[in-house]
Amino acid sequence: MGVSGSSEVTSSVTVVTRRRREPTSNERAGHPSIALSSSDAALFRRHYMELRRFAAATAASDIDPDDVVMAAVLRCLERGRLQAVEDPRNYLRRAVMNVLLNERRRLSRRNAALRRLGPRPDHEDWHRVEQTPLDSLKPVDRALLYLVHVDGYSFREAAEVLDVSESIARTRASRARRRLRRELSEEAT
């Protein structure tokens, strides 16, 4: 790997000791290597599975939750140490939500451009991935329902994670549950 000293690779995050070293193959390819302190690495390991479940529950079914978590963690680490954050668990959850919202906007722009281009006559395989009723909800609404109904957060705590007011969180949850009931009843008929 060309690193002098010990190193550990966790998915796309390279954990490197603080010695002078040669650039990694990822760095030579243009992918940054993040120097991760042992306390940040321990924090990441402690929260990874919880963040992955959160990403899986809030992402659309065709988005890989591991990719979402890794992108969120990388963005957080680029800004500084995770240990310096007051509440790293909620900070990382918010970062996961931001990655999902950015991905949704990116896909929305892509799909709009494809619709403007019209169907390709030589390509019959332009079908949507089968969606679940949860996929009909916005990522923020899926996250809200997950935090309240699966993780047992209060509306105040969930609102804090999602950076909205408690009343907005209650309203969004009510609307999301109503939409899910409607989707499920339509699916049953």
Side-chain angles (χ1 to χ4, degrees):
M1 210 166 114
V3 176
S4 61
S6 63
S7 68
E8 172 187 329
V9 178
T10 306
S11 196
S12 66
V13 177
T14 305
V15 183
V16 181
T17 59
R18 300 228 186 247
R19 291 189 190 167
R20 187 153 175 83
R21 60 182 178 74
E22 296 292 319
T24 65
S25 58
N26 278 340
E27 290 170 324
R28 285 190 295 270
H31 305 293
S33 178
I34 305 288
L36 196 62
S37 70
S38 60
S39 59
D40 282 344
L43 191 139
F44 173 72
R45 281 191 287 280
R46 185 171 56 246
H47 293 295
Y48 178 76
M49 288 309 294
E50 179 183 352
L51 290 170
R52 188 190 184 289
R53 283 190 304 272
F54 179 70
T58 56
S61 57
D62 57 343
I63 296 177
D64 183 14
D66 291 312
D67 291 344
V68 172
V69 171
M70 293 311 295
V73 169
L74 281 172
R75 286 183 185 177
C76 291
L77 290 172
E78 287 169 350
R79 294 173 189 230
R81 294 191 59 223
L82 292 175
Q83 291 295 323
V85 176
E86 184 179 324
D87 186 357
R89 178 179 174 219
N90 285 339
Y91 182 75
L92 288 168
R93 282 187 178 212
R94 183 66 207 164
V96 166
M97 280 306 306
N98 288 339
V99 168
L100 289 171
L101 293 172
N102 289 344
E103 181 64 12
R104 181 177 181 182
R105 282 189 288 271
R106 186 189 70 76
L107 289 174
S108 178
R109 287 190 304 269
R110 178 185 172 272
N111 291 338
L114 289 174
R115 281 192 301 277
R116 284 192 302 270
L117 290 174
R120 290 176 46 190
D122 63 330
H123 195 18
E124 297 288 326
D125 197 16
W126 277 42
H127 62 281
R128 289 181 61 101
V129 174
E130 186 175 329
Q131 288 192 322
T132 66
L134 278 175
D135 289 334
S136 68
L137 299 177
K138 294 179 179 179
V140 174
D141 295 339
R142 283 193 300 268
L144 181 60
L145 292 178
Y146 179 83
L147 290 171
V148 171
H149 296 291
V150 176
D151 275 357
Y153 276 48
S154 68
F155 280 104
R156 183 185 53 73
E157 294 167 327
E160 190 175 302
V161 170
L162 300 175
D163 199 27
V164 298
S165 71
E166 182 178 351
S167 61
I168 288 175
R170 288 181 183 279
T171 301
R172 289 189 83 131
S174 175
R175 289 178 182 164
R177 285 190 298 265
R178 191 176 323 127
R179 183 168 186 166
L180 274 177
R181 277 192 292 275
R182 186 174 56 244
E183 293 278 334
L184 290 170
S185 67
E186 288 174 6
E187 194 174 272
T189 58

